[in-house]
Amino acid sequence: MDSAFAAIAERLKTATSVVALTGAGVSAESGIPTFRGPEGLWQHYKPEDLATPQAFARDPRLVWEWYDWRRQKIAPASPNPAHEVLAQLEQIVPDFLLITQNIDGLHRLAGSRRLIEMHGCIWQVRCLTEGTVYENREVPLSLLPPQCACGSMVRPDVVWFGESLSVEDQARAFAAAESADIFLTIGTSALVQPAASLPIVAKDRGAFVAEINPVPTPITPLVDSHLQGAAGVILPQILSILLKS
Ligand code: OAD
């Protein structure tokens, strides 16, 4: 396994353009539950009851209770070594882009700035009447559903199932995947589109694709290197080899 880490470190050293895609697994070591798997959120909750525009239209209070609970889990969490290494790679690689499906804000907290939060951010809310987006960090929320100063209800500024991602974010993410020398897919089950297509697009355009995950995923057969294990353990080892070389 060490030689696989050294091989990636060697590639990262000479790469011009690196894209990393992360999913819930990158925050697992910060104590934030993932969605799938035996302990995943979707074992206990149904996405169609909580993470769709229809669910929100039907019962905004229920949806907000779920987000309030998730905000309470995320608020005390700190970035782990995986988030920290990705923030450091941004400083080392000439052209680095981090694309995350996570809404927990931990990459930003770790210092990542060349960052696309594809599914939005749990700390941002959007007024249903005015469309304005602003930060709300109240934990727990004192009013459910929370209201805008204009008196209208707000919703979490996140992307729900059945909703489109920002056109600009998608265009930027796919353009980066197309021109990447190295594409890292980390802590994602690679099941949700369009994020799941990014490593495939990168591979088709000639990138070296490496996956970090404790278990195989649908894209494992396509990647050049599957590093089996926890992101918070593997990424620091790769960085340490990179910094010594
Ligand atoms: P998932 O819960 O589907 O997958 C998490 C992945 O992380 C799994 O493949 C785990 O094996 C892996 N994993 C767990 N612990 C890890 C660790 N310490 N290091 C590395 N990997 C680890 O989460 P996502 O792929 O992010 O969308 O799910 C994608 C989207 O589906 C989410 O953004 C969310 C969800 O429904 C929306 O809510 C729109």
Side-chain angles (χ1 to χ4, degrees), residues 23-25 28-29 34-36 42 101-102 119 159 161 187-190 192 212-215 229-231:
E29 291 158 85
T34 60
F35 292 95
R36 296 171 184 84
W42 295 148
Q101 299 165 86
N102 300 345
H119 292 165
V159 178
F161 288 101
T188 174
S189 56
V192 174
I212 301 176
N213 200 308
V215 299

Side-chain angles (χ1 to χ4, degrees), residues 124-212:
Q124 304 276 340
V125 297
R126 185 158 85 233
C127 173
L128 292 185
T129 302
E130 298 170 325
T132 40
V133 174
Y134 53 92
E135 193 175 82
N136 174 324
R137 285 194 176 263
E138 191 190 15
V139 178
L141 287 159
S142 52
L143 182 66
L144 288 172
Q147 281 183 358
C148 177
C150 77
S152 171
M153 202 193 300
V154 296
R155 59 163 279 178
D157 190 38
V158 298
V159 178
W160 284 324
F161 288 101
E163 293 186 317
S164 305
L165 273 62
S166 134
V167 175
E168 299 82 51
D169 283 355
Q170 266 198 83
R172 209 174 140 215
F174 276 89
E178 283 170 14
S179 60
D181 302 328
I182 300 181
F183 191 101
L184 306 172
T185 172
I186 305 164
T188 174
S189 56
L191 288 168
V192 174
Q193 296 293 351
S197 295
L198 290 166
I200 298 166
V201 166
K203 175 80 185 147
D204 283 350
R205 292 298 188 100
F208 181 88
V209 180
E211 177 178 53
I212 301 176

